[in-house]
Amino acid sequence: MIRTLRGLAHKYFSDEEAVILFLILVTGTVFVIWFGAMLAPAIASLIIAFILQGLVTKLNKLGIPEAVSILGVFLVFLGVLVGFLFGLLPLIWAQLSALAGEAPRIIRELQSYLELLPEQYPHLISAEAVGTVYQQVSTEVGQFTQWLVSFSLSSIPDLVALLIYMVLVPILVFFFLKDREVLLGAIAKLLPPQRPMMLTIWHEVNLQCANYVRGKALEILIVGGATYIAFKLLGMPYAALLSLLVGLSVVIPYIGAAVVTIPVAVIALFAFGWGSHFIWVMAIYGIIQALDGNVLVPVLFSEVNNLHPVAIIVAVLFFGGIWGLWGVFFAIPLATMLKAVFSAWPVKDSLPPPDPGKV
């Protein structure tokens, strides 16, 4: 047992830089788990600044001074934030409230559809199974409606915290953009002067994660925007709410599209019934999903290393269980980072020297 442990230590931790990097990763993970909720505004600001830095760099390459680039990108970010808070968010909230008001009617129509299934498919579906499904759906919808009604009273502290975040986050984003080199230089002083492995991992992670996060943010905007325009033209109710769900569904490959298809199909069914309009809605929705997977994703993520679907699902489950929605969003970048770390990690093939006490 001891010889096996010595062999593993010699194989993976014989390099001093590897030991330091391992301690940094463990300390950083523990710090984020313990203090992540407290430092949520700073972490969110750092992520946003990381996304915006790519646009700043592109403007610099076009010959625009860095100060002007930072100011311009920051003003665009403020415009998008204000537009979301005072334009899109109230619309989504209004549609969510309207959907909660329509929930009883949808439940009654759902019951009528479900009651026909045992008659049409008696060998596949029983009346007891239909009753169980209906009871579960009714319970979930009732809990959601109750939460929505009590939201205005129970979430006042959360709204106050949200307002504070809306002030802190733009300020932090600006300083992360403005003083990026200063902050990176301060962190570099804490690391060993000779760190070739860390630099290799940093360049790989910076390339992969930057391309992924920025590409995913752009994909959300494109898919969500295209869905909203299509649903609006087709007269689909709750177009803003559904387009938001469709846009966010691209965060989780394979799973997100399958899950969000259910509310889209249900609302289209209750709005238009089994007819040509329903078929048109689902066909356009399918075309958007197909274009996203076969055209948009290859263009946006051409420089990102592909992960196996099993690795993606495991990463989503693991990091989502630790950090919730943020963990789901950054599951693939974190998995990519781990892949880069393992690829660059120094490994000794030779056996460790024999223990002097055993000679």
Side-chain angles (χ1 to χ4, degrees), residues 93-103 148 238:
W93 179 254
Q95 293 190 359
L96 189 61
S97 302
L99 181 59
E102 288 286 320
L148 196 64
Y238 315 112

Side-chain angles (χ1 to χ4, degrees), residues 31-343:
F31 183 82
V32 170
I33 292 176
W34 282 359
F35 301 101
M38 184 187 307
L39 299 176
I43 296 174
S45 303
L46 183 61
I47 294 169
I48 294 172
F50 182 72
I51 296 173
L52 297 178
Q53 181 59 42
L55 184 55
V56 173
T57 302
K58 289 184 178 180
L59 292 177
N60 289 340
K61 291 180 179 179
L62 295 176
I64 300 176
E66 184 174 3
V68 177
S69 301
I70 292 174
L71 182 60
V73 170
F74 179 72
L75 291 177
V76 171
F77 162 70
L78 280 183
V80 173
L81 181 62
V82 171
F84 175 79
L85 291 177
F86 297 101
L88 183 60
L89 193 60
L91 178 60
I92 292 174
W93 179 254
Q95 293 190 359
L96 189 61
S97 302
L99 181 59
E102 288 286 320
R105 180 183 69 84
I106 295 177
I107 290 296
R108 289 193 298 269
E109 294 188 14
L110 177 63
Q111 183 181 13
S112 64
Y113 280 113
L114 292 177
E115 288 175 350
L116 296 176
L117 293 178
E119 300 177 4
Q120 297 176 350
Y121 309 99
H123 300 291
L124 298 178
I125 303 175
S126 63
E128 292 78 9
V130 170
T132 302
V133 172
Y134 175 75
Q135 184 63 34
Q136 291 177 347
V137 172
S138 301
T139 302
E140 294 295 331
V141 172
Q143 292 177 352
F144 171 74
T145 305
Q146 183 180 3
W147 169 83
L148 196 64
V149 172
S150 61
F151 177 81
S152 59
L153 296 178
S154 63
S155 61
I156 291 178
D158 294 335
L159 291 177
V160 174
L162 180 62
L163 292 175
I164 295 175
Y165 287 178
M166 290 301 102
V167 175
L168 287 178
V169 169
I171 295 175
L172 290 173
V173 168
F174 176 76
F175 282 108
F176 281 140
L177 288 173
K178 174 178 173 294
D179 299 328
R180 173 176 174 269
E181 297 297 334
V182 176
L183 296 174
L184 290 178
I187 295 175
K189 291 181 180 179
L190 302 176
L191 301 176
Q194 302 296 328
R195 47 183 187 276
M197 183 185 70
M198 292 184 185
L199 290 176
T200 301
I201 293 176
W202 166 253
H203 290 309
E204 180 67 18
V205 170
N206 184 53
L207 175 64
Q208 297 295 325
C209 292
N211 289 335
Y212 177 82
V213 174
R214 292 162 189 162
K216 189 59 67 174
L218 186 59
E219 184 186 6
I220 291 173
L221 292 176
I222 294 175
V223 173
T227 304
Y228 178 75
I229 294 173
F231 283 177
K232 201 68 176 176
L233 293 175
L234 292 170
M236 183 78 166
Y238 315 112
L241 179 61
L242 291 175
S243 61
L244 177 65
L245 293 177
V246 173
L248 294 177
S249 69
V250 304
V251 171
I252 311 176
Y254 314 110
I255 303 174
V259 172
V260 82
T261 300
I262 297 175
V264 171
V266 169
I267 292 179
L269 177 62
F270 288 125
F272 309 119
W274 293 103
S276 60
H277 210 143
F278 172 78
I279 296 175
W280 272 108
V281 169
M282 298 309 298
I284 296 299
Y285 170 74
I287 290 173
I288 292 175
Q289 292 290 343
L291 291 176
D292 173 47
N294 297 286
V295 178
L296 190 59
V297 169
V299 170
L300 293 178
F301 305 104
S302 59
E303 298 182 3
V304 178
N305 290 333
N306 293 324
L307 296 173
H308 193 276
V310 174
I312 292 176
I313 294 174
V314 171
V316 168
L317 294 175
F318 179 76
F319 293 111
I322 297 178
W323 293 309
L325 181 61
W326 284 111
V328 170
F329 183 83
F330 290 101
I332 297 179
L334 290 171
T336 303
M337 182 187 72
L338 292 177
K339 182 179 179 181
V341 170
F342 290 139
S343 298

